[in-house]
Amino acid sequence: MRRIDLEEYVTTYKARARLAWLQAQSARLGQPRSVRRRPRSDEEAKILTLLARARLRRALATGELTVIGPRRYRLRVFDKSGDRPPAGTSTEGG
């Protein structure tokens, strides 16, 4: 049996396998997915990170996203009024 170096195999075929998987998924869904051909610039990556952090802070401040536990979150998607208590909580005394 032939021996294969795992590191060499992964570096050689990982990009091809990912592209083939994306193409298969887009064919299955019936919609082509555009693949980014060039890496993001450092400036673009920083700007996108800042925007994502601002979006996270805003969601936490408005109550759209609630931290339930160390790795658990609740995302409110359809309740835009904000006047109802979060699901699973009681407004009655007890």
Side-chain angles (χ1 to χ4, degrees):
M1 186 184 292
R2 186 174 69 150
R3 290 188 174 252
I4 297 174
D5 182 23
L6 179 63
E7 295 299 321
E8 180 183 341
Y9 184 84
V10 167
T11 57
T12 304
Y13 293 106
K14 188 174 184 177
R16 274 201 240 163
R18 176 78 177 150
L19 183 61
W21 183 82
L22 287 173
Q23 289 172 343
Q25 287 292 340
S26 65
R28 186 176 63 86
L29 297 174
Q31 54 188 353
R33 178 185 181 275
S34 62
V35 177
R36 188 171 182 86
R37 300 284 183 206
R38 60 182 172 79
R40 297 190 192 281
S41 68
D42 290 338
E43 182 181 359
E44 185 179 7
K46 287 177 187 176
I47 290 170
L48 289 173
T49 301
L50 288 173
L51 289 171
R53 286 182 181 169
R55 201 167 43 240
L56 176 64
R57 279 190 222 109
R58 186 182 68 229
L60 287 169
T62 61
E64 183 180 356
L65 182 67
T66 309
V67 179
I68 299 172
R71 294 184 183 180
R72 295 190 61 202
Y73 301 91
R74 177 179 291 129
L75 179 64
R76 292 169 164 255
V77 179
F78 299 110
D79 183 24
K80 297 293 182 183
S81 64
D83 57 351
R84 290 191 284 179
T89 61
S90 175
T91 57
E92 299 182 20

